[in-house]
């Protein structure tokens, strides 16, 4: 029985989620999610180990019998070394997560970026099924991508490929903004949910975002992409201009990636993008207009289908060395 299951972990800034996944179909068989009490590497590894044991108990297996595990981390990972170079949500730099987890669980661990894991999950079971070249772009509190090229996960020379949130963009007349990564002018600094909320608070303080502020009852702490979406739907000019700018930035970045890599599918995901219908429409229009004509043949844009499961499914199957076949 045990050989038919694979173990995947999705490690975010708030929770660790472990899942046992059918290694032939990618179906989630058992799952357990725990919040972080502390974010030190030792505490997080202990939380992951507890979640893994709970999920394994539900599935009726011993973690040690699974042989390997895959872990998707919201951060930059150094290739196959298991080292997390930078995970801002956890406050980590250069953490040897793979080795620590291997010691805690007694099995081999593969560490990958969370969006690489999500792309692999969508490739198996979701919106990128059946194509060997696909790009997954997530827009939530941050912005990132997973790349599947020629049927393989593309992690780059040192494992940090896909960082679309940190390509540099320079919107016309925009104030230079610093990104959470420490650099200036990143796409995420203008279009990621966390930085967008900071910008909304600045604009609200300058009296420029009245309708957006009204959408959250006048409480600046609740300003978010969904407040912009609500004001946009009501025809507010500030919200319309902001979504035009943000949608153009995200859409053009995606279009340029598609022109460069010629995937047959672009999968859009993340709470900010999928939760804001007007923003999604503007992003899609900019993708449709921006992709080089020759790269549009057989190219499709789809919404991510697996939600929170994409990361654990992809991590489990990557950890188990499973490759889907194109149809
Ligand atoms: Zn950045």
């Amino acid at each position: 029985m045990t050989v038919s299951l694979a173990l995947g972990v999705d490690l975010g800034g708030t929770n660790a989620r472990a899942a046992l996944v059918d290694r032939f179909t990618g179906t989630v068989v058992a799952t357990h999610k725990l919040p972080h009490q502390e974010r030190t590497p030792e505490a997080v590894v202990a939380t992951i180990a507890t979640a893994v044991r709970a999920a394994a108990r539900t599935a009726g297996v011993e973690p040690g019998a699974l042989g390997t595990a895959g872990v998707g981390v919201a951060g930059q990972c150094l290739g196959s070394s298991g080292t997390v170079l930078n995970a801002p949500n956890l406050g980590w730099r250069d953490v040897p997560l793979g080795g620590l987890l291997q010691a805690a669980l007694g099995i081999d661990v593969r560490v990958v970026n969370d969006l690489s894991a999500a792309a692999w999950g969508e490739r198996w079971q979701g919106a990128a099924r059946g194509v060997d070249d696909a790009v997954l772009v997530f827009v939530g509190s941050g912005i990132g991508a997973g790349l599947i090229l020629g049927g393989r996960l593309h992690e780059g020379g040192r494992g940090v490929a896909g960082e679309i949130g940190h390509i540099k963009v320079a919107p016309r007349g925009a104030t230079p903004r610093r990104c959470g990564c420490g650099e200036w002018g990143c796409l995420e600094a203008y279009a990621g949910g966390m930085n967008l909320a900071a910008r909304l608070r600045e604009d609200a303080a300058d009296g420029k975002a009245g309708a957006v502020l009204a959408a959250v009852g006048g409480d600046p702490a609740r300003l978010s992409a969904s407040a912009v979406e609500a004001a946009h739907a009501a025809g507010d000019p500030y919200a319309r201009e902001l979504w035009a700018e943000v949608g153009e930035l995200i859409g053009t970045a995606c279009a340029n990636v598609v022109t460069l890599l010629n995937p047959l599918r672009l999968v859009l995901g993340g709470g900010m993008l999928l939760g804001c219908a007007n923003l999604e429409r503007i992003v899609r229009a900019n993708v449709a207009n921006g992709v080089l004509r020759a790269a549009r043949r057989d190219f499709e844009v789809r919404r991510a289908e697996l939600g929170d499961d994409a990361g654990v499914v992809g991590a489990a199957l990557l950890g188990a060395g499973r490759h889907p076949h194109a149809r």
Side-chain angles (χ1 to χ4, degrees), residues 165-168 178-189:
H166 304 285
I167 63 169
K168 305 302 184 273
R178 194 167 189 187
C179 181
C181 73
E183 297 176 18
W184 292 84
C186 296
L187 173 64
E188 185 174 303

Side-chain angles (χ1 to χ4, degrees), residues 67-89:
T68 59
V71 183
V73 185
Q76 296 158 8
C77 305
L78 185 62
S80 55
S81 69
T83 297
V84 178
L85 293 175
N86 186 4
N89 299 340

Side-chain angles (χ1 to χ4, degrees), residues 96-210:
L97 177 66
L100 293 172
L101 260 179
Q102 223 149 299
L105 298 174
I107 54 178
D108 287 342
V109 173
R110 176 163 183 197
V111 178
V112 293
N113 171 267
D114 59 343
L115 294 185
S116 288
W120 202 242
E122 292 286 345
R123 168 70 183 86
W124 264 82
Q125 267 224 321
R129 260 190 321 267
V131 290
D132 272 342
D133 294 273
V135 171
L136 172 99
V137 174
F138 263 56
V139 182
S141 57
I143 300 178
L147 309 174
I148 292 168
L149 302 176
R152 307 181 72 88
L153 184 67
H154 181 78
E155 295 177 277
R158 291 294 178 270
V160 294
E163 292 287 354
I164 192 175
H166 304 285
I167 63 169
K168 305 302 184 273
V169 295
R172 277 184 302 252
T175 331
R177 297 194 76 89
R178 194 167 189 187
C179 181
C181 73
E183 297 176 18
W184 292 84
C186 296
L187 173 64
E188 185 174 303
Y190 298 93
M194 198 183 298
N195 290 307
L196 182 79
R199 175 173 170 186
L200 290 171
R201 288 193 293 274
E202 291 166 24
D203 284 355
D206 289 346
K208 284 191 276 187

Side-chain angles (χ1 to χ4, degrees), residues 24-47:
F24 300 105
T25 64
T27 310
V28 175
V29 171
T31 176
H32 197 88
K33 184 157 107 174
L34 287 174
H36 302 307
Q37 305 297 333
E38 278 183 70
R39 290 185 178 78
T40 62
E42 293 72 21
V44 167
V45 165
T47 302

